[in-house]
Amino acid sequence: MLTATSFSDKYGHQMAAKTLKKKETQKSRACPGNFTNKQAAKRADMASDDISQLAESLSRVRVGDGELSYKGRGLKLDDAESAVELVRDIRQSSDLRALRLEGNTVGVEAARTIAKALEDKEMLQRCYWSDMFTGRLRSEIPAALTSLGAALMSAGSRLTELDLSDNAFGPDGVKGIEPLLKSASCHALRELRLNNCGMGIGGGKILAEALSECHRRSAAVGAPLRLRVFMAGRNRLENEGASALAKAFKLIGSLEEVHLPQNGINHAGVTALAAALRQNPELRVVNLNDNTFTKRGALAMAHALRPLRNVQAINFGDCLVRSEGAVALAAVLREGLPALREVNLSFGEIGEAAAVAVAQAAAHKPSMEKVDLNGNCLGEDGCEALRDLMENLDKGDLLASLSDDEGEPDEEEDSESEDDEATDEESEEDGDVVEENGLTNEDSPSKSQSQAELLTFLRCPSVEKLRELKAALQEQVQASDLHRAAEVLLQIGSLYGEDPETKNPVLQTFDEVLKKLLSGSVLHSYCFLSTLLVRMGLLKGEGKVKKASVAAGHLLCLEHAVQQDFFSPHHASLLYAFTSRSREAPLSCRGAFEKLNAALENKCKH
């Protein structure tokens, strides 16, 4: 039997023609009375043309290995008559396992005819039906999808892959596939692709409920849905749609790839997705390109990624991660994600020092292949410094192009966007809070005596109160309240003096408080240090942040702490990335800054 694979080689039909031509020539020599050599050659050429036509036909309709492909033929299938050829091929494919209909346009009547042919194809597992309704009215598509889905259910098919991308069917189209997604035909579904379908918030909610119901039904029969790949980019899901899908993802728990680029999702939706991704331990690829994280979304995502061991690729490009978010992600690169190969934080308004922190952390990943920090706010000197850093670490080949760098940010520019303002409204005055179990902005409801004493010290700090409240300060300062912790540490540092009676208790308390704040995970310690840097004016933060007036005492207390055993080299490396690039040091602190930088640089070498 002749199959498409017989002619899959580029020169297969030419070789067949040559063989046939040779046989005809031999035949003419054996029987010279039948026809001349010239006639034989002409006949062989005709045979070659026939074979070429057959090869071309088979290349258009691939038959074999259980797959029937009409991909890219540009057919306009309006009615039953126009679908005769396709229906015939479907019916003749007794072992049909995959059907490719991409790049054609199918009307309602044609879909019903095709569906009729699929009603006995119980072996069908893979439906590649993207870009299948070009030029059709939006009202036609749900009916066509309903017919095709009903046929698959009637046949008892067990789908493993379903691709309906690039079909602008909107929420109604999701309703068209809803019965199929809930049915037993999708209990074994492993890959679902719905890119660029215009689902919107409503469609996202319908899809989320259908997937959740599929999981519930499949779990009830002892084989819960194990979806591995989910793609739904460019669907205008926004926060509500993303949050609905997050609930389904958390329930499913088997995802390996999640692709949701360009969906208008901001920090609220990102936070919901982050909590769900944390419940999918086999996750390998996360693509949220071109959504809006800001600091809150980046912190939530960093927290979610921290325990995951199989992640290989992260794409948070064009997500407005910014410097504070980048520092949090650098912490996760530093302490987790052992299998990571690629990280994309391009076009995120990330400054030079934060980019350096990311690059340093990524460079130490054994499997790292690409670090993309293009399109951020490094400036020419920052780009050069980043390239030098990676070259010095012998990792220059990992760094993607920096050709689209936005240059250093304008210091006069107001960084507060609409997203920042929304964040400020939703956050408490003390700002974001990071806890081991997630993100919260809530203070403890009970105000103990020690908390009251702490507030008294913050309003009016003194060395005498410091001595009295030393134990209370250590007890009440928590890494879960980043801004309060930074405020306490800065107030302690503001009391620094050179006389021993002042210097010794200040340094001792400063060290003990900072030791506690750095003793948790790398993520929590980096979040605290970035908050401290924002308060000191060394890092551009989001929203309205009250900056401290940095004095030499703050820097000298830090210098002393850096030299202690509890202060790790990677903490020193993070701080040094900012202090060594700072242009903000007042003249009165210049000597203290130099001492701090020297201590940090020395610590980094250990």
Side-chain angles (χ1 to χ4, degrees), residues 56 102 110 118 131 168 171 214 251 281 300 302 306 312 316 402 409 436-437 451 557 590-591:
E56 185 180 355
E102 310 103 307
L118 291 173
D131 190 19
C214 182
L251 183 66
R306 185 177 155 222
Q312 297 177 10
F316 298 155
L402 298 174
E436 288 294 338
N437 62 347
Q451 286 177 312
C557 285
R590 193 62 53 84

Side-chain angles (χ1 to χ4, degrees), residues 345-414:
L345 294 179
S346 60
F347 299 94
E349 294 190 5
I350 299 170
E352 176 191 349
V356 165
V358 170
Q360 286 176 327
H364 291 89
K365 310 304 293 183
S367 301
M368 188 61 68
E369 298 173 0
K370 184 178 180 181
V371 181
D372 192 345
L373 289 164
N374 193 25
N376 284 298
C377 305
L378 311 184
E380 290 184 18
D381 291 343
C383 288
E384 192 61 31
L386 194 58
R387 292 189 191 100
D388 289 344
L389 168 71
M390 298 301 277
E391 289 292 345
N392 291 336
L393 293 172
D394 197 24
K395 300 288 185 178
D397 57 329
L398 300 185
L399 190 63
S401 169
L402 298 174
S403 59
D404 296 315
D405 186 71
E406 296 287 340
E408 295 183 48
D410 186 352
E411 294 299 327
E412 300 299 320
E413 182 182 342
D414 185 1

Side-chain angles (χ1 to χ4, degrees), residues 239-297:
N239 287 339
E240 290 184 63
S243 297
L245 284 169
K247 293 178 182 178
F249 294 166
K250 189 178 291 188
L251 183 66
I252 293 168
S254 58
L255 289 168
E256 297 178 14
E257 295 185 28
V258 174
H259 302 261
L260 287 169
Q262 209 172 352
N263 267 295
I265 308 168
N266 66 30
H267 68 81
V270 172
T271 299
L273 287 169
L277 295 182
R278 188 181 174 93
Q279 303 303 316
N280 287 263
E282 299 304 315
L283 196 66
R284 293 184 297 107
V285 178
V286 187
N287 178 6
L288 290 173
N289 187 283
D290 199 8
N291 289 291
T292 305
F293 280 36
T294 60
K295 175 185 172 183
R296 295 183 71 187

Side-chain angles (χ1 to χ4, degrees), residues 59-366:
S59 69
R60 292 199 308 266
V61 182
R62 181 184 165 198
V63 184
D65 299 327
E67 179 174 296
L68 173 62
S69 176
Y70 270 64
K71 180 179 179 179
R73 291 188 60 182
L75 299 177
K76 188 176 182 183
L77 307 178
D78 295 322
D79 49 29
E81 184 178 352
S82 61
V84 167
E85 180 188 354
L86 172 57
V87 168
R88 182 198 64 217
D89 288 340
I90 290 174
R91 285 179 173 156
Q92 290 179 354
S93 302
S94 58
D95 62 342
L96 185 64
R97 289 182 174 83
L99 178 59
R100 308 198 77 109
L101 298 178
E102 310 103 307
N104 299 287
T105 176
V106 181
V108 176
E109 290 304 317
R112 287 172 181 162
T113 304
I114 296 167
K116 200 71 176 174
L118 291 173
E119 286 181 350
D120 63 349
K121 301 303 176 184
E122 63 178 342
M123 297 175 68
L124 185 60
Q125 296 177 330
R126 303 185 304 279
C127 295
Y128 304 107
W129 295 349
S130 64
D131 190 19
M132 201 173 74
F133 299 106
T134 302
R136 299 292 170 183
L137 295 175
R138 188 163 168 174
S139 58
E140 293 181 79
I141 302 174
L145 290 173
T146 299
S147 296
L148 293 168
L152 298 178
M153 291 186 285
S154 177
S157 302
R158 292 293 184 268
L159 297 184
T160 58
E161 294 182 48
L162 178 60
D163 186 353
L164 288 168
S165 299
D166 301 316
N167 292 311
F169 48 55
D172 290 340
V174 185
K175 291 179 182 178
I177 60 171
E178 183 181 11
L180 173 64
L181 291 175
K182 290 181 176 181
S183 75
S185 288
C186 285
H187 284 185
L189 194 64
R190 296 294 179 264
E191 301 183 19
L192 178 60
R193 294 176 174 84
L194 295 167
N195 283 322
N196 192 29
C197 290
M199 290 189 290
I201 295 172
K205 290 181 176 180
I206 296 169
L207 175 62
E209 177 53 37
L211 290 174
S212 298
E213 182 62 22
C214 182
H215 185 273
R216 284 189 287 266
R217 293 182 184 181
S218 58
V221 295
L225 173 66
R226 299 284 299 170
L227 189 66
R228 292 197 295 255
V229 177
F230 180 86
M231 296 185 178
R234 298 184 64 191
N235 271 290
R236 304 191 305 276
L237 294 170
E238 301 182 15
N239 287 339
E240 290 184 63
S243 297
L245 284 169
K247 293 178 182 178
F249 294 166
K250 189 178 291 188
L251 183 66
I252 293 168
S254 58
L255 289 168
E256 297 178 14
E257 295 185 28
V258 174
H259 302 261
L260 287 169
Q262 209 172 352
N263 267 295
I265 308 168
N266 66 30
H267 68 81
V270 172
T271 299
L273 287 169
L277 295 182
R278 188 181 174 93
Q279 303 303 316
N280 287 263
E282 299 304 315
L283 196 66
R284 293 184 297 107
V285 178
V286 187
N287 178 6
L288 290 173
N289 187 283
D290 199 8
N291 289 291
T292 305
F293 280 36
T294 60
K295 175 185 172 183
R296 295 183 71 187
L299 288 176
M301 194 58 67
H303 178 76
L305 292 173
R306 185 177 155 222
L308 301 178
R309 311 294 296 173
N310 298 306
V311 176
Q312 297 177 10
I314 293 171
N315 186 344
F316 298 155
D318 206 11
C319 281
L320 209 63
V321 167
R322 293 182 174 154
S323 293
E324 285 185 276
V327 169
L329 292 168
V332 178
L333 292 176
R334 178 74 67 174
E335 71 173 331
L337 303 176
L340 193 64
R341 296 180 180 178
E342 182 174 341
V343 58
N344 183 345
L345 294 179
S346 60
F347 299 94
E349 294 190 5
I350 299 170
E352 176 191 349
V356 165
V358 170
Q360 286 176 327
H364 291 89
K365 310 304 293 183

Side-chain angles (χ1 to χ4, degrees), residues 545-563:
V545 179
K546 183 181 178 182
K547 294 180 182 178
S549 179
V550 177
H554 296 121
L555 305 175
L556 293 172
C557 285
L558 271 174
E559 181 223 356
H560 183 269
V562 167
Q563 299 175 63

Side-chain angles (χ1 to χ4, degrees), residues 363-569:
H364 291 89
K365 310 304 293 183
S367 301
M368 188 61 68
E369 298 173 0
K370 184 178 180 181
V371 181
D372 192 345
L373 289 164
N374 193 25
N376 284 298
C377 305
L378 311 184
E380 290 184 18
D381 291 343
C383 288
E384 192 61 31
L386 194 58
R387 292 189 191 100
D388 289 344
L389 168 71
M390 298 301 277
E391 289 292 345
N392 291 336
L393 293 172
D394 197 24
K395 300 288 185 178
D397 57 329
L398 300 185
L399 190 63
S401 169
L402 298 174
S403 59
D404 296 315
D405 186 71
E406 296 287 340
E408 295 183 48
D410 186 352
E411 294 299 327
E412 300 299 320
E413 182 182 342
D414 185 1
S415 66
E416 290 184 35
S417 64
E418 292 181 7
D419 290 297
D420 297 332
E421 291 169 8
T423 299
D424 290 338
E425 290 172 6
E426 295 171 21
S427 302
E428 288 191 2
E429 223 175 272
D430 281 341
D432 297 317
V433 177
V434 182
E435 292 185 333
E436 288 294 338
N437 62 347
L439 298 175
T440 177
N441 289 309
E442 297 181 1
D443 289 323
S444 171
S446 61
K447 297 293 183 181
S448 64
Q449 179 64 31
S450 56
Q451 286 177 312
E453 292 172 342
L454 175 61
L455 292 173
T456 301
F457 171 77
L458 291 175
R459 293 191 190 101
C460 187
S462 67
V463 177
E464 290 73 21
K465 287 181 181 176
L466 180 67
R467 290 193 183 96
E468 293 174 11
L469 302 176
K470 180 180 176 182
L473 286 173
Q474 294 177 41
E475 177 187 348
Q476 291 302 316
V477 172
Q478 302 291 332
S480 59
D481 190 339
L482 300 177
H483 288 271
R484 179 62 53 80
E487 185 182 1
V488 169
L489 202 65
L490 289 170
Q491 290 287 37
I492 295 171
S494 70
L495 299 175
Y496 180 87
E498 288 298 333
D499 59 291
E501 290 190 2
T502 299
K503 182 178 181 179
N504 292 337
V506 168
L507 290 178
Q508 184 181 7
T509 309
F510 190 97
D511 286 354
E512 289 175 354
V513 170
L514 186 56
K515 179 180 179 180
K516 179 179 181 179
L517 293 169
L518 299 183
S519 63
S521 69
V522 176
L523 173 57
H524 287 81
S525 61
Y526 272 41
C527 287
F528 167 72
L529 289 175
S530 67
T531 302
L532 181 64
L533 288 165
V534 169
R535 284 294 183 99
M536 294 175 69
L538 299 175
L539 170 59
K540 189 176 182 180
E542 291 185 3
K544 297 176 182 178
V545 179
K546 183 181 178 182
K547 294 180 182 178
S549 179
V550 177
H554 296 121
L555 305 175
L556 293 172
C557 285
L558 271 174
E559 181 223 356
H560 183 269
V562 167
Q563 299 175 63
Q564 308 309 308
D565 290 340
F566 71 82
F567 207 100
S568 69

